Amino acid sequence: DAGITQSPRYKITETGRQVTLMCHQTWSHSYMFWYRQDLGHGLRLIYYSAAADITDKGEVPDGYVVSRSKTENFPLTLESATRSQTSVYFCASAGQDGNTIYFGEGSWLTVV
Amino acid sequence: GESVGLHLPTLSVQEGDNSIINCAYSNSASDYFIWYKQESGKGPQFIIDIRSNMDKRQGQRVTVLLNKTVKHLSLQIAATQPGDSAVYFCAENIGGGGADGLTFGKGTHLIIQP
């Protein structure tokens, strides 16, 4: 369904470039998350946000920046992309209890 | 932190048979568990959840069983169909607040044989 939309869905960028992945949710969920998914590692939490203007680091935050000026948007920025950041990135959101997380369709990022 | 693991990376079943996907967790403080289904090229999709005060919960063609004594979670899919082919993840949430999101297992790839 279109509750969470991510853009771009596919991106190829060069090492050292800045890249921003966008995430928009229409459910007015309090919580939003960014995960990356890599073979052998499963889903790993990069950053999360409990509400607008509140963000916290997850398991693998280095090299990433997030912001949450509006409840519905949670962009993820790679300030200087590296090849190790080639991955599939999933944005997700959850309601007030933060328990049940709903995922977007993913953004495939390749850094060359 | 402690992580959720899966017993088998790949499970192959005949169409129409029942399938059981297992998951072991190690954190006794976990109080909420979710099963997700991820089809190729898509994001994880919520299937069913269960709280630690329950030992069984049923959905449409799916049942989740929780055995807190041995820290084991399973997902049963009845009368499997080709559309059930996917990777299935179990996930746990510790302590209710959800602020840190979920801890995910690596996934089991379910293959439905015609």
Side-chain angles (χ1 to χ4, degrees), chain B residues 81-93:
Chain B
Q81 303 167 359
D84 294 330
S85 290
V87 175
Y88 291 81
F89 299 94
C90 62
E92 63 178 326
N93 203 328

Side-chain angles (χ1 to χ4, degrees), chain A residues 9 31 33 35 37 40-43 45 48 90 97-105 108, chain B residues 32 34 36 38 41-44 46 49 51 89 93 96-102 104 106:
Chain A
R9 293 293 313 281
Y31 286 93
F33 309 86
Y35 289 87
Q37 186 175 42
H41 291 282
L43 284 158
L45 182 64
Y48 67 98
F90 289 102
D97 64 5
N99 274 327
T100 306
I101 294 179
Y102 297 92
F103 288 84
E105 289 297 288
W108 273 252
Chain B
Y32 181 66
I34 305 177
Y36 286 92
Q38 186 175 23
K42 295 187 177 181
F46 173 89
D49 59 0
R51 296 200 175 274
F89 299 94
N93 203 328
D100 290 343
L102 299 174
F104 292 87
K106 295 281 192 294

Side-chain angles (χ1 to χ4, degrees), chain B residues 61-107:
Chain B
R61 284 202 305 119
V62 295
T63 301
V64 56
L65 299 177
L66 176 61
N67 186 329
K68 295 180 286 294
T69 302
V70 296
K71 298 190 184 72
H72 185 267
L73 190 69
S74 68
L75 176 71
Q76 300 178 3
I77 304 174
T80 53
Q81 303 167 359
D84 294 330
S85 290
V87 175
Y88 291 81
F89 299 94
C90 62
E92 63 178 326
N93 203 328
I94 301 169
D100 290 343
L102 299 174
T103 300
F104 292 87
K106 295 281 192 294

Side-chain angles (χ1 to χ4, degrees), chain B residues 4 6-8 10-13 18 20 22 27 29 36-37 40 53 60 64 73 88-89 98 101 103 111-112 114:
Chain B
V4 177
L6 294 173
H7 291 308
L8 296 173
T10 303
L11 177 64
S12 183
V13 299
N18 298 334
I20 300 176
N22 296 303
N27 194 323
Y36 286 92
K37 172 187 180 183
S40 181
N53 61 353
Q60 187 176 14
V64 56
L73 190 69
Y88 291 81
F89 299 94
T103 300
I111 299 171
I112 308 302

